[in-house]
């Protein structure tokens, strides 16, 4: 079991830290070097990632009943490694968009497979902890990525360097790919008939409220972290300071996610979901202050809560659904959530470029968190399968 969880955790670093979060860390440098300084076009880059992710989610969701989770995982890692090679050589927006779309596609193959593999061998009262470990690995990856950016830029004497980071991402991904192919051997699962519909998701009590809250979270994900650096630069934060703050988000997630996962095993998912979303709203409000120590407090709170929330939703689904139907349900709720992920970055970038600026954007994040709390409040307490 330990080997399975370790390989799953390494795979999650690829799917989330590298495929979906590294662009956020590098956004301002890529924006200024390749995109003419436009926040709106930079937002389109994030949209390309999310669009690729949604396509991947749709494919995995439809195929989940006929394809082993391990097969989807291996394909996702291969696609992600290729994406990072494309990003390394991007010289125009269309090349950037292709690479980011491929990264999103690969991320879906990994993420929709890992929870089923990692939780298959553990009892229900330890699922939250195991899924928390998955999220903690994302945080660890973000810490390492943030510090790697600082080190590479220091060596290059260029605080806008970004291509070498994608080279490192490709190398790490292909190493993980080889390890998974050689050493990951989960038990085979039973084939089931799956379609792209709501039938599996409806097995979850309160699925409408859970899904609605996830839509609000999608906008939050599209706004808080991707535009954190751009927002803080308007308040005279340096690139080095911003890179450190991104690292703090990941550092907080390392300890916060596994702890909250374990707490949810003991007290239930619902109160922890509410606590996470209240904390996310508070973290966005602190960005509006625009100075230290509020920015540091904000990213620490956000790192703990925002990295915990998706795995708590995933664990809630797992409490109700098992085997390949779980991947189908997770894919279905992710597709719905993806509406916010695809439209959110464009809207967030447009708001940032508007006369209202990033203060208006982070005020909307607070409002979205309030909306999510109201949805979660009507959920029944999760039962455990």
């Amino acid at each position: 079991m330990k080997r399975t969880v370790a390989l799953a955790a390494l795979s999650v670093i690829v799917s989330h830290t590298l495929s979906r979060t590294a662009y956020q860390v590098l956004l301002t440098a890529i924006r200024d070097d390749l995109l003419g300084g436009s926040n709106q076009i930079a937002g389109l880059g994030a949209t390309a990632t999310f669009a690729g992710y949604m396509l991947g989610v749709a494919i995995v969701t439809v195929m989940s009943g006929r394809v082993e989770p391990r097969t989807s995982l291996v394909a996702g890692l291969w696609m992600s490694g290729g994406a990072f090679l494309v990003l390394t050589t991007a010289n125009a927006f269309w090349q950037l968009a292709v690479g980011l779309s491929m990264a999103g596609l690969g991320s879906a193959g990994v993420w929709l497979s890992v929870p089923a593999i990692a939780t298959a061998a553990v009892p229900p009262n330890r699922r939250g902890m195991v899924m928390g470990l998955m999220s903690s690995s994302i945080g660890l990856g973000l810490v390492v990525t943030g510090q790697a950016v600082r080190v590479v830029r220091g060596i290059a004497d260029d605080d806008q360097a970004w291509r070498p980071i994608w080279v490192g991402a490709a190398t790490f991904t292909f190493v993980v790919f080889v390890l998974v192919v050689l050493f990951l051997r989960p038990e085979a699962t039973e084939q089931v008939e799956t379609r792209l519909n709501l039938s599996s998701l409806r097995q979850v009590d309160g699925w409408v409220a859970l899904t609605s809250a996830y839509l609000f979270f999608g906008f939050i994900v599209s706004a808080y972290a991707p535009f954190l650096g751009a927002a803080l630069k308007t308040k005279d934060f340096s690139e080095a300071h911003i890179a450190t703050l991104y690292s703090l988000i990941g550092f907080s997630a390392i300890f916060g996610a596994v702890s909250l996962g374990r707490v949810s095993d003991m007290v239930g998912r619902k109160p922890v979901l509410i606590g996470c979303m209240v904390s996310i709203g508070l973290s966005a409000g602190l960005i509006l202050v625009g100075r230290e120590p509020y920015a540091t407090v904000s990213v620490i709170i956000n790192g703990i809560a925002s990295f915990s929330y998706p795995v708590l939703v995933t664990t809630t689904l797992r409490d109700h659904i098992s085997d390949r139907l779980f991947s189908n349900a997770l894919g279905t709720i992710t597709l719905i959530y993806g509406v916010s992920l695809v439209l959110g970055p464009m809207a967030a970038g447009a708001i940032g470029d508007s006369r209202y600026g990033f203060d208006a954007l982070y005020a909307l994040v607070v409002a979205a968190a309030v909306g999510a709390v109201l949805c979660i409040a009507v959920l029944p307490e999760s039962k455990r399968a």
Side-chain angles (χ1 to χ4, degrees):
M1 186 189 77
K2 290 181 179 179
R3 183 173 65 183
T4 297
V5 172
L7 290 174
L10 289 173
S11 299
V12 167
I13 291 175
V14 174
S15 73
H16 279 62
T17 306
L18 301 180
S19 295
R20 295 171 58 188
T21 309
Y23 178 66
Q24 299 171 11
V25 178
L26 302 174
L27 184 144
T28 55
I30 294 174
R31 179 197 65 186
D32 295 342
D33 182 40
L34 205 62
L35 307 178
S38 171
N39 287 308
Q40 190 163 7
I41 297 177
L44 287 174
T47 297
T49 302
F50 293 135
Y53 181 66
M54 288 301 102
L55 176 60
V57 168
I59 293 171
V60 175
T61 300
V62 172
M63 299 297 294
S64 60
R66 298 182 293 276
V67 177
E68 286 288 346
R70 180 183 181 276
T71 302
S72 298
L73 171 59
V74 169
L77 289 171
W78 181 258
M79 177 65 72
S80 295
F84 301 142
L85 292 178
V86 171
L87 290 168
T88 300
T89 59
N91 289 308
F93 174 72
W94 72 267
Q95 294 170 307
L96 181 73
V98 168
L100 291 173
S101 298
M102 289 174 61
L105 187 64
S107 174
V110 175
W111 176 242
L112 293 187
S113 308
V114 160
I117 294 171
T119 60
V122 300
N125 63 356
R126 298 190 69 187
R127 287 174 184 158
M129 182 185 70
V130 169
M131 287 307 302
L133 285 170
M134 297 301 102
S135 190
S136 293
S137 70
I138 301 171
L140 177 61
L142 186 56
V143 169
V144 173
T145 299
Q147 294 309 307
V149 169
R150 293 186 64 185
V151 171
V152 169
R153 286 175 172 174
I155 294 173
D157 194 24
D158 179 5
D159 66 0
Q160 294 287 83
W162 55 274
R163 295 181 191 277
I165 307 305
W166 294 124
V167 175
T171 303
F172 177 83
T173 300
F174 284 121
V175 169
V176 175
F177 172 83
V178 171
L179 292 175
V180 167
V181 169
L182 293 178
F183 300 113
L184 184 63
R185 294 289 184 269
E187 293 185 8
T189 57
E190 182 181 354
Q191 288 195 14
V192 293
E193 181 65 30
T194 53
R195 298 178 181 178
L196 195 60
N197 57 38
L198 299 173
S199 59
S200 56
L201 186 58
R202 283 173 175 160
Q203 296 183 32
V204 180
D205 294 337
W207 70 272
V208 173
L210 184 68
T211 304
S212 298
Y214 215 21
L215 278 169
F216 281 115
F217 182 68
F219 174 73
I220 292 168
V221 168
S222 301
Y224 181 93
F227 291 96
L228 177 66
L232 293 179
K233 284 193 77 172
T234 66
K235 300 178 186 297
D236 298 323
F237 282 63
S238 69
E239 287 280 0
H241 193 167
I242 291 168
T244 299
L245 291 175
Y246 272 112
S247 295
L248 282 176
I249 294 177
F251 186 78
S252 302
I254 294 173
F255 303 101
V258 66
S259 300
L260 290 181
R262 186 57 182 151
V263 169
S264 77
D265 286 335
M266 295 184 290
V267 306
R269 315 297 182 205
K270 178 179 175 178
V272 185
L273 284 167
I274 290 176
C276 282
M277 198 50 67
V278 169
S279 299
I280 288 170
L282 175 62
S283 72
L286 290 173
I287 292 299
L288 295 174
V289 180
R291 62 179 184 274
E292 292 289 17
Y294 301 101
T296 295
V297 174
S298 172
V299 298
I300 291 173
I301 294 173
N302 190 272
I304 294 171
S306 65
F307 279 76
S308 299
Y309 189 84
V311 297
L312 289 168
V313 172
T314 302
T315 308
T316 301
L317 295 178
R318 191 68 164 115
D319 288 339
H320 293 77
I321 306 167
S322 60
D323 300 327
R324 297 192 195 186
L325 282 179
F326 164 71
S327 292
N328 184 265
L330 179 59
T332 301
I333 196 173
T334 303
L335 282 171
I336 299 171
Y337 156 73
V339 174
S340 293
L341 293 184
V342 172
L343 298 179
M346 290 186 291
I351 294 170
D353 283 338
S354 73
R355 64 188 179 92
Y356 302 105
F358 288 107
D359 283 352
L361 176 61
Y362 283 85
L364 283 176
V365 172
V366 174
V370 172
V373 168
L374 295 176
C375 292
I376 301 167
V378 303
L379 283 175
E381 178 50 54
S382 176
K383 65 182 180 181
R384 295 180 186 148

